[in-house]
Amino acid sequence: MLSWDNTPSVAAMRRERAWIEINLSHLSHNVRSLNAKLAPNTQLMAVVKADAYGHGAVTIARTALAAGATWLGVATIPEGIELREAGIQAPILLLGATNTLEQVQAIAQWQLQPTLCTPEQAITFATAVETLGQGSPLPVHLKLDTGMSRLGIAWDNALGLAQHIQASPHLHLASVYSHFATADDPNPHTLTQQTDRFRHAIATLKNHGITPPMLHLANSAGTLVSPTLHYDLVRVGLALYGLYPAPHFQDHIHLKPVLQVKARITQVKTLPPNTGVSYGHRFITQRQTRLAVVGIGYADGVPRLLSNQMQVLIRGQAAPQVGAITMDQMMIDVTDLPPVQAGDVVTLLGQDQDAWITADDWANTLGTISWEILCSFKHRLPRLAIQPSDRPTPVLSHP
Ligand SMILES: Cc1ncc(COP(=O)(O)O)c(C=O)c1O
């Protein structure tokens, strides 16, 4: 892990070219707003996998826990270890699959909690925990496939696995859970089917004397659909970061985007009409054009497919990006803006005065989802945490 130099001069240098600002007040607002929506006794898991959807896992995890989340969710063992090494003690669920003896050792050593989906996995885990001789049983979470057709044991075939876990002195069944495939779809058909299957599977376990201490089913969308889906815990990712799983959820809750992407103008020039711009001359000036060169490109995670299709904000006004986005730079047509100069800040994603550009705007243009946009920013862009009235400070993250 990179150790950061926190001196102001280094912090300033990090804002010289291009950077990401992480608004921790917005994150706390989102956590509190989500918690206020939860059914009584439901806990909030902050899903911080993939470096907290590109926001910087350690800082996001700490802030979410301070604002009221009680669990953390990661995809991989190294993601869990990063949180533990930072001194975070909250329970951490590994949402991804783990299978090998070495993985079980790491899980036990770092007090992570694995997801189990197959009898073979349960045997491996029980054997490995016995070999480790660590005394207490390892908490494990049984995942049901109720219709996502991804990780999980078939919802109507889970009894044997649950009994196996229950019978092992080395494993402790900490929860049973499942994951929605279509909770963001206004048509509730599949969600209802998955919920019915989940209920049915839990009833079968209970009929055989197995009462899991915790049940959970809802992601961000499921959490916003109805408190009846909250059970003991909700696993929220996207909404934490201030984005809506689908537009219709905007009526349910007020969320504030946490991440902003900014860069500086590095040069301003005037081009005559009929001049080609950038690789392939995919933009030709139609008039005398003032062009701003900006120091951010696809190697920072701005999708090249947005070339000639995105806008940026400068001093609160929108301006079109023109020509192919290159590895480290892109060009903006600033002809219609009041004069701009090298050093001016350009907002690619986020708020500038009253104007906003969101990850959903990019996702809609590209025919993808905001989750992918958030996860696409490279670590070449420093993440700077901001609180109101604070100077930006680096967010602990990978280099
Ligand atoms: C198992 C599981 N639970 C919860 C989440 C959080 O989903 P969302 O970001 O839609 O809230 C994810 C993310 O993909 C997941 O894989």
Side-chain angles (χ1 to χ4, degrees):
M1 183 182 305
L2 188 75
S3 79
W4 293 86
D5 184 339
N6 273 327
T7 57
S9 61
V10 171
M13 246 173 55
R14 294 187 177 280
R15 300 175 82 217
E16 251 178 16
R17 177 183 165 268
W19 64 95
I20 285 180
E21 289 180 5
I22 301 296
N23 189 321
L24 297 179
S25 306
H26 286 189
L27 177 70
S28 303
H29 162 91
N30 298 337
V31 171
R32 285 194 298 268
S33 305
L34 286 155
N35 250 336
K37 294 264 171 208
L38 298 187
N41 303 322
T42 299
Q43 299 185 63
L44 177 67
M45 174 187 288
V47 177
V48 295
K49 61 181 177 161
D51 202 25
Y53 293 32
H55 292 61
V58 170
T59 300
I60 293 294
R62 281 197 185 122
T63 309
L65 291 169
T70 50
W71 278 77
L72 299 170
V74 298
T76 67
I77 293 172
E79 288 175 354
I81 294 176
E82 184 189 7
L83 300 174
R84 288 283 183 251
E85 281 185 332
I88 292 172
Q89 291 176 354
I92 299 176
L93 172 59
L94 276 173
L95 298 165
T98 45
N99 294 297
T100 67
L101 288 174
E102 292 73 19
Q103 286 177 319
V104 185
Q105 277 171 351
I107 285 168
Q109 181 187 345
W110 292 97
Q111 296 192 325
L112 308 175
Q113 303 195 19
T115 292
L116 297 193
C117 307
T118 65
E120 297 75 28
Q121 227 186 338
I123 293 168
T124 305
F125 270 76
T127 312
V129 173
E130 184 177 13
T131 313
L132 286 173
Q134 61 165 21
S136 52
L138 181 75
V140 299
H141 301 253
L142 194 166
K143 184 159 191 195
L144 305 176
D145 181 358
T146 54
M148 173 76 176
S149 304
R150 196 173 65 174
L151 214 52
I153 189 157
W155 63 279
D156 51 357
N157 190 31
L159 180 61
L161 175 55
Q163 285 173 326
H164 189 101
I165 294 171
Q166 187 92 334
S168 168
H170 308 294
L171 304 177
H172 163 66
L173 182 63
S175 84
V176 175
Y177 78 103
S178 189
H179 187 49
F180 284 127
T182 66
D184 50 345
D185 187 339
N187 179 343
H189 174 75
T190 306
L191 176 130
T192 307
Q193 186 184 51
Q194 284 196 261
T195 308
D196 288 347
R197 288 173 171 179
F198 188 67
R199 285 202 194 107
H200 193 283
I202 300 305
T204 304
L205 298 189
K206 285 191 177 160
N207 287 341
H208 288 81
I210 301 174
T211 304
M214 279 191 8
L215 302 174
H216 45 114
L217 183 55
N219 53 359
S220 293
T223 302
L224 298 175
V225 167
S226 164
T228 59
L229 306 177
H230 291 175
Y231 292 95
D232 302 296
L233 178 76
V234 292
R235 305 183 309 272
V236 178
L238 190 76
L240 280 187
Y241 307 109
L243 289 152
Y244 298 91
H248 63 278
F249 290 116
Q250 288 178 18
D251 302 335
H252 294 53
I253 189 169
H254 175 56
L255 299 172
K256 301 183 178 181
V258 173
L259 175 145
Q260 305 203 70
V261 181
K262 300 189 174 179
R264 286 194 196 276
I265 294 176
T266 51
Q267 191 182 352
V268 182
K269 57 178 63 174
T270 302
L271 302 179
N274 206 27
T275 305
V277 175
S278 191
Y279 292 122
H281 281 182
R282 289 169 52 193
F283 180 82
I284 309 284
T285 58
Q286 302 296 305
R287 56 179 176 172
Q288 176 161 304
T289 299
R290 267 190 312 125
L291 199 73
V293 183
V294 179
I296 188 168
Y298 63 76
D300 299 291
V302 182
R304 186 174 173 277
L305 285 173
L306 285 175
S307 297
N308 281 322
Q309 298 202 76
M310 64 179 281
Q311 297 204 317
V312 301
L313 302 173
I314 305 174
R315 299 184 185 179
Q317 290 195 42
Q321 187 281 323
V322 293
I325 294 169
T326 70
M327 192 180 288
D328 320 299
Q329 306 179 70
M330 64 172 67
M331 274 59 87
I332 312 296
D333 183 343
V334 291
T335 317
D336 296 328
L337 265 55
V340 300
Q341 59 190 31
D344 282 357
V345 174
V346 173
T347 300
L348 289 92
L349 282 186
Q351 184 176 18
D352 185 358
Q353 298 177 27
D354 294 332
W356 272 102
I357 298 175
T358 70
D360 284 312
D361 294 325
W362 286 16
N364 292 337
T365 304
L366 295 170
T368 184
I369 52 175
S370 56
W371 290 258
E372 188 185 24
I373 300 296
L374 293 180
C375 293
S376 66
F377 295 107
K378 307 292 193 301
H379 284 94
R380 182 155 87 150
L381 291 178
R383 269 68 169 166
L384 304 175
I386 54 166
Q387 303 264 20
S389 79
D390 263 13
R391 218 182 33 226
T393 54
V395 171
L396 264 185
S397 183
H398 301 291

